[in-house]
Amino acid sequence: MKNALLFAALLLPTVALAEDRVANAAATAEKPATAEQAAPPAAKAPVDCKNALGVSRVLEVDTTAGGEYGEQYMHPRPLLEKGEVVITFDDGPHPEFTPQILVALAAECTKATFFYVGRMIKNFPDMARQVQAEGHTVGTHTYTHRNLGGTSMGQAEQQIESTFNVAEATLPNGVAPFFRFPYLSDPQRVRDYLAKRNIAVFGIDVDSFDWRVRTPEKVMHNVFSGLDKKGGGIILFHDIHANTAKSIPAVLAELKKRSYKVVHLVPKSRLEAVAAAEPTQVAPRRRAHRHRRAR
């Protein structure tokens, strides 16, 4: 409980910075992309996966009645064994940094789960399709990175469903019924709604804090300090930062060196989309209503 309260205290002062970060990324996305940015990564030569990090197993996730994963939940569904990790990225796709991350993942023959913002998918549909074409799983993260702890239920549903709609319309294989709350701010009423929609909620176990550190070395330190304590888990990155893109090759190499096993999450069933209008305005800045739970 003490660690949980400390985490919450540390999180609150950083929310304003996080909202500025996402707003800046969204503003960049709304500018017309250059031809170089809009193009998907060039075709790559075949990779010898024999000595690569790879994927230890593919885990089919049954999202019937929802399900909650990650250490902040009181009764999370079983997911990983000791020494296993799930690599996740939030907030993209980004025209510059996502391709670099895809190259690094492909070089190690491994897979990740991307929780994408609806507005970013709409602005960079080719990049979103490229992520899926390379075998990664795409879930969602609201339309404008809105803190759902500070919205009405109607606004929350609009943020969630409009993102599923744009993702379904963009991705040839559809979107996974996987969701992550911005800022991990997850009011019970919204979690109950997602459960009724058969959508799983993914928290985190290890935070890279890549949005607030200035060097790839700091990202590495944060990841492996967390893994040393937890022995594995769901790792959070953001594919909208240069430092993240620069750090991923070294992170993957170190995961391999330390014999961590990557688990690739895939959904057992397709999402059933429902009609929803897209939000028309950027959300005002709000502090997160985040409460860690004792396990």
Side-chain angles (χ1 to χ4, degrees), residues 56 80-86 227 230-233 255 258-263:
S56 66
L80 303 176
E81 303 293 337
K82 187 175 178 60
E84 291 185 331
V85 299
V86 173
L227 286 175
K230 306 290 177 58
L255 287 173
R258 299 192 187 195
S259 298
Y260 282 102
K261 306 297 182 184
V262 174
V263 175

Side-chain angles (χ1 to χ4, degrees), residues 41 44 87-90 92-114 116 127 131 134 136 210 237-249 252:
K44 307 175 187 67
I87 301 168
T88 70
F89 297 88
D90 286 4
H94 191 281
E96 180 179 358
F97 306 129
T98 303
Q100 296 174 33
I101 289 167
L102 291 180
V103 168
L105 293 169
E108 287 292 347
C109 304
T110 198
K111 304 298 179 186
T113 299
F114 293 77
Y116 275 167
M127 195 68 257
V131 169
E134 296 201 13
H136 305 288
D210 55 349
F237 298 98
H238 301 80
D239 59 330
I240 62 170
H241 300 303
N243 283 334
T244 307
K246 292 176 182 177
S247 70
I248 292 301
L252 298 179

Side-chain angles (χ1 to χ4, degrees), residues 7-52:
F7 180 92
L10 291 172
L11 176 65
L12 288 174
T14 65
V15 169
L17 292 175
E19 290 185 344
D20 286 341
R21 162 182 61 80
V22 176
N24 290 337
T28 300
E30 288 170 350
K31 297 176 182 178
T34 65
E36 181 179 1
Q37 288 178 324
K44 307 175 187 67
V47 176
D48 180 3
C49 295
K50 183 178 180 181
N51 297 314

Side-chain angles (χ1 to χ4, degrees), residues 4-277:
L5 293 174
L6 177 61
F7 180 92
L10 291 172
L11 176 65
L12 288 174
T14 65
V15 169
L17 292 175
E19 290 185 344
D20 286 341
R21 162 182 61 80
V22 176
N24 290 337
T28 300
E30 288 170 350
K31 297 176 182 178
T34 65
E36 181 179 1
Q37 288 178 324
K44 307 175 187 67
V47 176
D48 180 3
C49 295
K50 183 178 180 181
N51 297 314
L53 175 62
V55 171
S56 66
R57 64 185 176 111
V58 176
L59 178 58
E60 188 177 67
V61 179
D62 185 354
T63 63
T64 303
E68 296 172 346
Y69 302 91
E71 70 166 5
Q72 70 265 32
Y73 295 107
M74 188 173 293
H75 301 293
R77 289 189 181 180
L79 188 68
L80 303 176
E81 303 293 337
K82 187 175 178 60
E84 291 185 331
V85 299
V86 173
I87 301 168
T88 70
F89 297 88
D90 286 4
D91 293 358
H94 191 281
E96 180 179 358
F97 306 129
T98 303
Q100 296 174 33
I101 289 167
L102 291 180
V103 168
L105 293 169
E108 287 292 347
C109 304
T110 198
K111 304 298 179 186
T113 299
F114 293 77
F115 292 93
Y116 275 167
V117 171
R119 186 165 55 178
M120 300 291 276
I121 296 174
K122 187 173 182 179
N123 280 278
F124 295 104
D126 288 344
M127 195 68 257
R129 284 188 284 265
Q130 182 68 25
V131 169
Q132 188 177 77
E134 296 201 13
H136 305 288
T137 298
V138 179
T140 62
H141 195 49
T142 73
Y143 195 84
T144 61
H145 205 272
R146 186 76 182 263
N147 172 15
L148 300 187
T151 67
S152 68
M153 194 61 219
Q155 290 171 324
E157 290 179 22
Q158 184 184 41
Q159 284 279 337
I160 292 165
E161 300 296 353
S162 61
T163 308
F164 281 126
N165 287 338
V166 72
E168 278 285 305
T170 301
L171 301 171
N173 298 327
V175 63
F178 295 172
F179 182 81
R180 178 175 281 151
F181 283 90
Y183 317 110
L184 304 181
S185 178
D186 56 353
Q188 186 66 53
R189 66 185 185 278
V190 184
R191 288 158 51 207
D192 291 343
Y193 173 80
L194 292 166
K196 291 178 182 178
R197 290 279 286 111
N198 297 316
I199 296 165
V201 173
F202 288 86
I204 69 171
D205 299 308
V206 175
D207 198 340
S208 70
F209 293 104
D210 55 349
W211 56 271
R212 76 180 187 187
V213 299
R214 297 183 179 277
T215 67
E217 291 76 18
K218 284 287 188 181
V219 175
M220 284 279 290
H221 172 78
N222 292 339
V223 169
F224 289 98
S225 293
L227 286 175
D228 285 344
K229 295 176 182 177
K230 306 290 177 58
I234 303 169
I235 309 173
L236 171 63
F237 298 98
H238 301 80
D239 59 330
I240 62 170
H241 300 303
N243 283 334
T244 307
K246 292 176 182 177
S247 70
I248 292 301
V251 168
L252 298 179
E254 190 67 15
L255 287 173
K256 180 172 62 176
K257 180 180 178 181
R258 299 192 187 195
S259 298
Y260 282 102
K261 306 297 182 184
V262 174
V263 175
H264 181 207
L265 305 181
V266 299
K268 184 176 182 179
S269 58
R270 289 281 297 268
L271 172 83
E272 295 183 11
V274 299

